[in-house]
Amino acid sequence: MQCLTNFEIYAETIWHTASYSGAPSDSGYWGDGGSSGNGGIRGNSGVALAYAVLLIAQPADARNTTRLAHLRQALNYDAATHVTGTNPCVGGNSWGWSSASSTDWQTPEWSGSMGLACVLAQSLLPTTTVQGVQRVLASEATHRAGIAPASGYVSDTKAEENGWDSNVLSLSAAWLSTNSNAALWLNAAKQYLVNTYTLANTNGDSLASWITTVTIHPSYALENHGFFHPTYEMVAGMSMGDSLLMARLSNATIAAQLQPFAEHNVLSIWTNALTSTMLDSGEFAYPAGLDWELHDYEQNSYIAWLASHFNDPLARWADGQLAQLVLTRQLANGNGEFVGPSGGGFYREAVEARRTAIAWLHWTHADFLTGPTTTPLPGFKHFPDVDIIMQRSPYGFTSISYGPQTNGSSPRIMAMVEAPSPVFFPTNVFVASPLEPGVIGFGALGSPTAARLVSLATNSNGFQAELQVTNGNKGTTEVYFNCTGAS
């Protein structure tokens, strides 16, 4: 909550009352107001959700007059500029599933944020605003229900898309349960949720008859943008938690029907893949590097969902760590921004505001408000299908990436060594950052261009490995790892 009130200071500096030619009446937006991209409707809806949470969390706050006015105007803007509305966005286009300027697999998330903000503050909003939002949700949900969940796990996972797209279906089925299409939306919501985290091997899966996709490698690793990408592996499960939360806050009966689908493989992915990447600070490691902002902690709502709904001890510990890290970085920025100058603009701030608001909602409606905690445990993990080796010991974390990018980009040949628990938490926690290429494959022959694993064996201290690294047309370098139990 402190993070959200800090963010409000920044959000007020980027608020715009819509006054362009053709603008909807009584409307406004945060960000750029565009019909496409992350800084338009997605960002506006994300900040609207944060403001809705502020309204319900602090009902006597003097800032609520402004909060409610901006929330109402933001929702009016989103509803009126949708393809079912009558007004254009700032750039002259509409947004939504049938708009040439929007991407229809993304608009279910945008409209889900908008809809949840409206649900939370519905009693405070004009009927016309609520009706406009409901019109958008019905249109988006009906369109999405007519499309089967996507399948794919090499290079470009479809776990993210399927999880994201479940938002509008779940919320619409719950909130608009008397609509003639509600049963259609509910069935589609189940399909998208259960097909978010899917493996080819469905033996023993009680929901196997619903599964039509494969989105995860056999090792439980997830690949996106051509490499092992923990961020997207978290986002997929995070979106499943968002969908169940949206349904729970709208209609408990519908939420109960969705729950087993929203929980599908969530703990399996967490246990078999993502716990291996947990650092002693509570942040996640990125063994193959990262192409989004580093140290922005946008996984906070994923961790809150695991802790508050599944009562996972490691997630409960990490939640406490991440909450402090989010706040510390925000205070370092000094103006309410979550990410700050290195984040690439407003949309990163809006994403973090949305997820921080949802983390607060998870805890406010927690199934397990308290429970056991545990810190990261020593362990070894090899993901052969994405070419990653990881080890955590009491002395730190080590990872090796030796594979290509399967999207045709340069290979990600790199290694990392992270020191153990930071002495000065949460202010001084960065010891190393993933550099690609880094640590291995350098020398007289130049940068690495490919690598292959020659041998790998585990032992009581950890592991021994040999890589053959190719250095363009200059030859190869043999790289040996001998883990002695230290970092």
Side-chain angles (χ1 to χ4, degrees):
M1 187 50 55
Q2 185 179 345
C3 291
L4 291 177
T5 54
N6 289 344
F7 170 76
E8 185 178 12
I9 298 169
Y10 166 73
E12 286 300 307
T13 68
I14 53 164
W15 170 257
H16 308 278
T17 300
S19 58
Y20 58 92
S21 177
S25 61
D26 190 29
S27 73
Y29 54 90
W30 290 279
D32 61 40
S35 59
S36 62
N38 291 315
I41 301 300
R42 179 187 181 185
N44 189 46
S45 297
V47 179
L49 177 53
Y51 268 56
V53 165
L54 287 170
L55 278 168
I56 64 169
Q58 300 178 333
D61 197 287
R63 292 166 287 188
N64 280 353
T65 300
T66 299
R67 289 171 175 171
L68 181 58
H70 287 176
L71 173 61
R72 182 189 70 248
Q73 291 170 336
L75 294 177
N76 286 344
Y77 182 84
D78 286 356
T81 58
H82 188 257
V83 291
T84 59
T86 57
N87 300 86
C89 293
V90 173
N93 296 313
S94 298
W95 72 277
W97 64 268
S98 64
S99 171
S101 62
S102 299
T103 305
D104 77 333
W105 74 264
Q106 293 184 330
T107 54
E109 192 263 9
W110 306 355
S111 49
S113 299
M114 173 186 65
L116 180 56
C118 190
V119 166
L120 294 173
Q122 183 172 354
S123 63
L124 304 173
L125 294 167
T127 301
T128 53
T129 299
V130 175
Q131 290 174 341
V133 171
Q134 291 178 332
R135 181 194 73 242
V136 171
L137 262 63
S139 172
E140 290 286 332
T142 299
H143 170 71
R144 182 48 48 183
I147 302 173
S151 185
Y153 66 97
V154 176
S155 182
D156 178 21
T157 183
K158 297 307 176 184
E160 176 207 14
E161 284 94 324
N162 292 343
W164 227 352
D165 290 348
S166 72
N167 283 179
V168 74
L169 293 164
S170 301
L171 179 56
S172 298
W175 190 26
L176 311 179
S177 59
T178 60
N179 189 286
S180 59
N181 282 328
L184 174 70
W185 302 334
L186 178 60
N187 185 71
K190 293 176 180 178
Q191 291 176 327
Y192 272 89
L193 287 166
V194 79
N195 281 287
T196 297
Y197 280 149
T198 55
L199 296 97
N201 184 356
T202 60
N203 291 338
D205 191 329
S206 61
L207 296 175
S209 62
W210 286 81
I211 295 174
T212 58
T213 68
V214 178
T215 64
I216 303 290
H217 280 282
S219 69
Y220 290 89
L222 178 144
E223 189 177 5
N224 206 25
H225 299 182
F227 61 96
F228 175 55
H229 214 309
T231 296
Y232 285 95
E233 193 147 20
M234 289 180 278
V235 166
M238 177 193 300
S239 295
M240 298 166 76
D242 294 353
S243 291
L244 183 59
L245 177 68
M246 291 174 182
R248 282 185 157 191
L249 295 177
S250 308
N251 187 321
T253 300
I254 296 299
Q257 296 183 53
L258 290 173
Q259 182 165 327
F261 297 87
E263 294 173 340
H264 181 253
N265 277 343
V266 171
L267 284 181
S268 294
I269 297 296
W270 167 245
T271 302
N272 289 291
L274 290 171
T275 56
S276 302
T277 66
M278 179 69 70
L279 298 175
D280 287 330
S281 64
E283 190 179 6
F284 288 82
Y286 299 96
L290 189 64
D291 54 0
W292 287 114
E293 173 65 12
L294 187 65
H295 306 310
D296 64 355
Y297 318 118
E298 289 179 4
Q299 63 270 35
N300 57 349
S301 59
Y302 169 69
I303 291 297
W305 146 245
L306 287 170
S308 65
H309 181 71
F310 294 98
N311 204 22
D312 183 85
L314 180 59
R316 188 176 297 277
W317 171 83
D319 178 83
Q321 300 287 102
L322 288 174
Q324 296 178 71
L325 291 172
V326 170
L327 179 60
T328 301
R329 177 160 182 173
Q330 191 183 49
L331 293 176
N333 290 328
N335 63 349
E337 289 181 280
F338 285 105
V339 183
S342 64
F346 155 72
Y347 77 92
R348 302 307 313 170
E349 308 299 334
V351 168
E352 182 72 355
R354 178 191 188 271
R355 293 179 180 173
T356 301
I358 288 177
W360 185 89
L361 288 169
H362 277 311
W363 282 115
T364 303
H365 301 277
D367 294 298
F368 299 95
L369 195 57
T370 61
T373 63
T374 186
T375 55
L377 298 174
F380 172 85
K381 197 75 176 181
H382 180 211
F383 291 136
D385 36 31
V386 292
D387 303 321
I388 296 292
I389 299 169
M390 294 182 288
Q391 174 175 303
R392 185 193 302 105
S393 79
Y395 303 98
F397 174 90
T398 302
S399 65
I400 302 164
S401 173
Y402 60 90
Q405 285 197 73
T406 53
N407 62 1
S409 299
S410 300
R412 289 182 171 261
I413 313 301
M414 58 183 287
M416 276 200 306
V417 178
E418 288 270 2
S421 301
V423 177
F424 300 108
F425 180 89
T427 55
N428 296 332
V429 297
F430 308 149
V431 178
S433 291
L435 175 66
E436 185 270 311
V439 181
I440 59 174
F442 294 109
L445 298 183
S447 296
T449 55
R452 69 180 182 89
L453 183 63
V454 178
S455 65
L456 174 65
T458 58
N459 54 48
S460 58
N461 289 322
F463 69 95
Q464 289 182 313
E466 178 186 352
L467 296 181
Q468 186 176 79
V469 179
T470 301
N471 303 91
N473 60 4
K474 297 182 178 180
T476 61
T477 303
E478 218 70 13
V479 182
Y480 296 89
F481 295 89
N482 180 29
C483 182
T484 63
S487 61

